[in-house]
Amino acid sequence: MTDATPPLASGPAAGRVLAELRRMQATDLPTHGGRTLAYVYDSGLADADALGREALAMFASSNGLDPTAFPSLQRMENDLVALAGALLDAPDGFVGAATSGGTESILLAVLAARRGAPHLTAPSMVLPASAHAAFLKAASYLGVRPVVVDVDPLTLRADPAAMAEAVDDSTVLVVASAPSYAHGVVDPVAEVAALAAARGIRCHVDACIGGWVLPHLDHLPPWTFSVEGVTSISVDLHKYAYTPKGVSLLLHRDADLRRGHLFASAAWPGYTMLNTTAQSTKSGGPLAAAWAVTRHIGTDGYARLARQARRATLELAAGVDAIDGLHVLVAPDSTLLALTTDDTCDVFTLADGMLARGWYTQPQMAFGAVPPTLHLTLSAATAPSVPDFLDALGVTTAAARAAGPVAVDPGLGALLVSLDPTALDDAAFTGLLAAAGLSGEGGAIELPDRMAPVNALLDACPPAAREALLLGVLDRLSRPTPRPSP
Ligand SMILES: Cc1ncc(COP(=O)(O)O)c(C=O)c1O
């Protein structure tokens, strides 16, 4: 008999658990290698990635809740805000905060604007229809009425004259994108900011996806803090700064503008809660990783990566225009493309075909007068693969043209258009999901290999019906894993 202490852990050994994680990860899209053209960003710099992962692990358990307990995290945050300020022409006196992502930065920009006008009982914000849906989320969370203004039908950029007309005494914020996610174009920021400044209203520039790229490209009119009237800018580090997920920055022209998203509470028996952002306990991992990666890549490195991604974007756009049946929706201002088809085929079939050939492209539904498109986010690491991508796209498009556009079952399409999915009971909803090709036995969500019929059907739905249907899908996907049977 030995009296050695038995190990405290009672589950499988670490190696086995890691193997389980790897098996699960194998079902995901690849994050590196340049073949996933949405959601992920790949610099192609293996040492920067390794550094980011090491810094992430080093600070994973550190807590940004209290800057006096973890001063290193406050220092890193201040360094990153200073770095972004230099890139975005921030004036003396600017301030910022590190958030968990673009959506949190936008939520806080809207919150600060709303709180900056406490006399208004029914505040609103004016935004172009191309603005990221995070603004609509902020509107819905924070009780700020969104006044959505059509973009110019040709350029797909914000229409400042129409936005000026939409501004009224309840407006607390005016929004511009640099660039828009869906179409990759930069709004006329100077005009939008001027119309806001003329009425003493804040103007937020959403540079979540472009803020680390556009400053290194020289073909654009000014859109940063160099434009008088721009009061805040959001820029995500976990996008084109190529840092691990979990960090965005929100910069304000001055400290007064930030006040509305600072929070303190001493009205409870614990520590006085003091936050600049929505999170309270906040892992130091993503921040440390962002600090390390940005420091390692450096300004010249980012300039090279931005030019590389931009060259790849232009090369890809030129190649697309040479493919029959396919064209680029609008000339790209940055490193994002939206492709569309003529009526010989459809983007949903293209997305399936490209995925079957190992390329992820993101279908976007029709919106107003804009047809369905295929969204591409190009990373620096996509550059070497552009010729292969274009070969695959050429073959996929030819096959899609031979097959013709995917047809929507007219009966089902008409049903969805007329239906109020929010009014369906669970059994009826289960039937609808099965009819839409989204569920299998017992009503569990099962996505088909070919998503084109489902996407074409969703595309035919009014947006509200699409939202309700997909929320139903999400609700059913987000359920506890069934216990294994004994
Ligand atoms: C322009 C723009 N704004 C905001 C966001 C939201 O960022 P996140 O997904 O990090 O919340 C995105 C994401 O792609 C974006 O492209």
Side-chain angles (χ1 to χ4, degrees):
M1 281 286 278
T2 152
D3 63 357
T5 316
L8 288 177
S10 65
R16 236 178 87 195
V17 175
L18 283 173
E20 287 169 3
L21 281 178
R22 275 187 211 103
R23 268 199 303 281
M24 285 194 279
Q25 196 172 38
T27 64
D28 298 345
L29 291 171
T31 58
H32 289 73
R35 294 180 81 95
T36 304
L37 284 93
Y39 305 124
V40 299
Y41 303 80
D42 181 5
S43 66
L45 303 176
D47 54 347
D49 289 341
L51 174 65
R53 282 194 298 272
E54 189 159 347
L56 190 72
M58 249 173 104
F59 284 84
S61 303
S62 308
N63 193 343
L65 174 62
D66 181 349
T68 63
F70 295 93
S72 68
L73 297 182
Q74 186 65 61
R75 170 65 201 266
M76 287 181 230
E77 178 169 350
N78 292 347
D79 286 351
L80 286 168
V81 168
L83 187 66
L87 198 63
L88 302 177
D89 308 310
D92 289 348
F94 84 101
V95 294
T99 70
S100 60
T103 299
E104 189 186 346
S105 291
I106 286 167
L107 285 170
L108 296 179
V110 176
L111 177 66
R114 191 198 194 296
R115 292 223 172 121
H119 57 288
L120 291 175
T121 49
S124 67
M125 66 176 148
V126 172
L127 60 155
S130 55
H132 194 277
F135 289 97
L136 300 177
K137 187 178 197 174
S140 126
Y141 277 17
L142 302 171
V144 176
R145 183 171 54 90
V147 179
V148 179
V149 178
D150 283 345
V151 295
D152 180 287
L154 288 180
T155 64
L156 303 182
R157 296 193 176 99
D159 176 347
M163 288 177 74
E165 279 190 22
V167 167
D168 65 21
D169 290 345
S170 71
T171 312
V172 296
L173 185 68
V174 168
V175 172
S177 309
S180 63
Y181 178 82
H183 306 134
V185 292
V186 176
D187 288 332
V189 170
E191 288 88 333
V192 173
L195 78 87
R199 307 217 20 182
I201 298 167
R202 296 179 189 217
C203 172
H204 181 79
V205 175
D206 176 9
C208 282
I209 202 162
W212 226 256
V213 171
L214 298 177
H216 302 297
L217 310 179
D218 49 17
H219 61 284
L220 290 168
W223 60 271
T224 61
F225 283 112
S226 65
V227 175
E228 276 309 315
V230 170
T231 52
S232 57
I233 301 182
S234 47
V235 52
D236 295 353
L237 299 181
H238 64 198
K239 292 191 168 80
Y240 280 100
Y242 299 110
T243 76
K245 294 283 185 240
V247 189
S248 166
L249 299 172
L250 172 61
L251 268 51
H252 296 276
R253 185 176 282 277
D254 64 47
D256 268 355
L257 293 164
R258 182 176 64 177
R259 198 147 294 148
H261 68 77
L262 305 185
F263 182 81
S265 181
W268 75 304
Y271 55 85
T272 298
M273 196 161 101
L274 276 180
N275 309 126
T276 57
T277 64
Q279 284 182 293
S280 207
T281 282
K282 159 150 105 171
S283 168
L287 190 76
W291 189 91
V293 170
T294 52
R295 185 155 167 71
H296 176 64
I297 293 181
T299 305
D300 290 348
Y302 280 115
R304 280 194 287 276
L305 291 172
R307 288 194 294 266
Q308 190 174 328
R310 173 74 181 163
R311 270 197 305 276
T313 308
L314 297 180
E315 187 189 336
L316 205 154
V320 163
D321 283 333
I323 297 175
D324 280 343
L326 202 58
H327 62 274
V328 174
L329 184 73
V330 59
D333 282 338
S334 185
T335 52
L336 314 174
L337 284 170
L339 314 185
T340 189
T341 63
D342 62 17
D343 55 12
T344 58
C345 59
D346 65 277
V347 296
F348 307 120
T349 303
L350 293 186
D352 284 348
M354 289 302 280
L355 193 59
R357 290 176 169 83
W359 300 94
Y360 181 82
T361 57
Q362 187 183 51
Q364 301 182 130
M365 306 285 152
F367 185 80
V370 179
T373 51
L374 210 55
H375 171 98
L376 309 179
T377 292
L378 281 93
S379 285
T382 319
S385 318
V386 169
D388 288 348
F389 180 91
L390 286 170
D391 285 349
L393 192 61
V395 177
T396 303
T397 308
R401 279 159 67 86
V406 64
V408 174
D409 172 342
L412 192 54
L415 175 72
L416 281 171
V417 169
S418 65
L419 203 82
D420 174 6
T422 54
L424 293 178
D425 66 17
D426 202 56
F429 195 77
T430 302
L432 186 63
L433 289 179
L438 286 166
S439 68
E441 285 289 296
I445 300 299
E446 247 175 52
L447 300 185
D449 289 341
R450 274 189 73 228
M451 282 299 290
V454 175
N455 280 328
L457 190 64
L458 291 171
D459 187 53
C461 289
R466 197 187 304 151
E467 286 166 6
L469 201 60
L470 290 176
L471 271 182
V473 171
L474 182 64
D475 176 60
R476 287 166 186 228
L477 281 174
S478 313
R479 296 287 166 90
T481 307
R483 288 171 200 271
S485 34

